[in-house]
Amino acid sequence: MKTERVPEVVLGVGAGIAAYKVCELLRLFTESGHRVQVVPTADALRFVGEPTWAALSGRPVATGVWDAVHEVPHVRIGQRADLVFVAPTTADLLAKAAHGLADDLLTNTLLTARCPVVFAPAMHTEMWEHPATQANVATLRSRGAIVLDPAVGRLTGADTGRGRLPDPADLFAAARRVLARGDLGADLAGRRVLVTAGGTREEIDPVRFLGNRSSGRQGYALAATAVARGAEVTLISVNVALPDPAGADVRRVGSAVELEEAVRAEYGKADAVVMAAAVADFRPARRASGKIKKRAGVGPDPIELVENPDILAGLTRDRAHPQQVIVGFAAETDHVLEHGRAKLARKGCDLLVVNQVGGGRAFGTEDNQAVVLGADGSATDIPYGPKDDLADRVWDLVADRLAAG
């Protein structure tokens, strides 16, 4: 019987206070069957000591180029790896990696690795936003490395802002997606993509709203898979109660008008826009300032509705550049392909993901199926399966069009 090869992961650890979180990430790797070689920098061991890494990984910790010299560790560790995952990645490590410096075992490993490399930065907001750091991130992404955007939250001391290391479970999910792609590589490296997810809510009064059943799972899967393929991802989240995908820059809005404003602010920088959010066609003409009360013996006043902006049609009309790829979604209950083709023609997008909803399908589920209609007349069937798989198939089609453009 053929045994499945155990993935070999190199877990690089930078010298940041967030190193304590990486202990949990290491546990997730080992408990799921991965072989992990921990390679900390010398200063990282000031935060979490060598015995901890050895106990959690079940292997000796590789700390220096002069250890076990006969095994040439500065070359062999990178050569054997299926994935190199560096967390926390400090500004110093990003700079060294971008400039090809190799003054310790970890930076040597980064130069010899021919597998996917993922950096999970963690630092103070000012350091992350510094032009030098941003230039280093852009350089690494242009070479095919995956650099996750840090999360927003509490930092060292009393400071709060962007620069927090994402939660270990989210980092692990990102790592698994990268490993699943294997040799397919980061085909969206250097690309900026904008994804919307969730469902708009149009307020009737401070308590009630008009909404829909979208959970945002498909949009979040699209964002997470784009990160795993190397893209710089902005995710506009519309009333979604899911953990943020590690590495995506998440913006939150509530209504269709707010969504349009957020999309318009970001779409000009995007190579691809995927409008997976379910947008209400109408909103109340007036929002009551207080809760509308039920009156005994008197029926409710009618609610006058006005049309919401057609965000997708507006984007295709005002493309940021001719090569920009725009993807829409259509949720239909009947005559799915007929309605889908009509919507594709009406909206003017490059691809339209058409799926049937209702009866327990699509909304709020872990799985989905769809037909992707192309403006070129193509139709791609995506069979029933995990939403991550559907997301990857959509990005395949987007990547083909970006490459052809």
Side-chain angles (χ1 to χ4, degrees), residues 285-305:
R286 289 172 295 280
R287 174 188 180 276
S289 59
K291 180 182 177 182
I292 299 172
K293 299 294 186 179
K294 182 171 66 174
R295 295 171 293 176
V298 180
D301 293 332
I303 298 174
E304 181 187 354
L305 300 178

Side-chain angles (χ1 to χ4, degrees), residues 172-353:
F172 180 62
R176 291 191 67 171
R177 288 188 177 96
V178 175
L179 278 167
R181 287 190 57 76
D183 295 334
L184 294 175
D187 58 347
L188 294 177
R191 299 290 191 179
R192 288 183 172 181
V193 303
L194 174 64
V195 179
T196 68
T200 61
R201 295 178 180 177
E202 311 302 327
E203 290 191 351
I204 298 170
D205 61 21
V207 177
R208 305 174 181 89
F209 60 84
L210 300 177
N212 56 67
R213 295 181 181 276
S214 178
S215 66
R217 291 182 184 278
Q218 187 62 72
Y220 271 51
L222 283 155
T225 53
V227 168
R229 296 172 74 146
E232 183 179 349
V233 180
T234 298
L235 171 62
I236 302 179
S237 177
V238 194
N239 303 304
V240 178
L242 295 171
D244 291 349
D249 182 7
V250 181
R251 316 288 173 83
R252 290 179 173 80
V253 298
S255 69
V257 170
E258 291 170 350
L259 176 59
E260 183 185 40
E261 291 174 353
V263 168
R264 286 283 179 173
E266 296 293 334
Y267 90 107
K269 299 175 284 188
D271 297 294
V273 181
V274 180
M275 295 290 295
V279 184
D281 293 323
F282 302 95
R283 69 181 184 274
R286 289 172 295 280
R287 174 188 180 276
S289 59
K291 180 182 177 182
I292 299 172
K293 299 294 186 179
K294 182 171 66 174
R295 295 171 293 176
V298 180
D301 293 332
I303 298 174
E304 181 187 354
L305 300 178
V306 297
E307 195 168 346
N308 269 325
D310 190 330
I311 304 172
L312 180 58
L315 291 181
T316 60
R317 183 187 64 242
D318 304 327
R319 288 178 189 264
H321 50 84
Q323 290 75 38
Q324 188 176 54
V325 178
I326 299 178
V327 183
F329 271 67
E332 303 291 347
T333 57
D334 53 54
H335 305 290
V336 174
L337 290 182
E338 178 186 342
H339 291 316
R341 290 191 178 98
K343 184 171 184 176
L344 176 65
R346 191 168 65 251
K347 301 294 186 180
C349 49
D350 302 289
L351 297 167
L352 186 71
V353 183

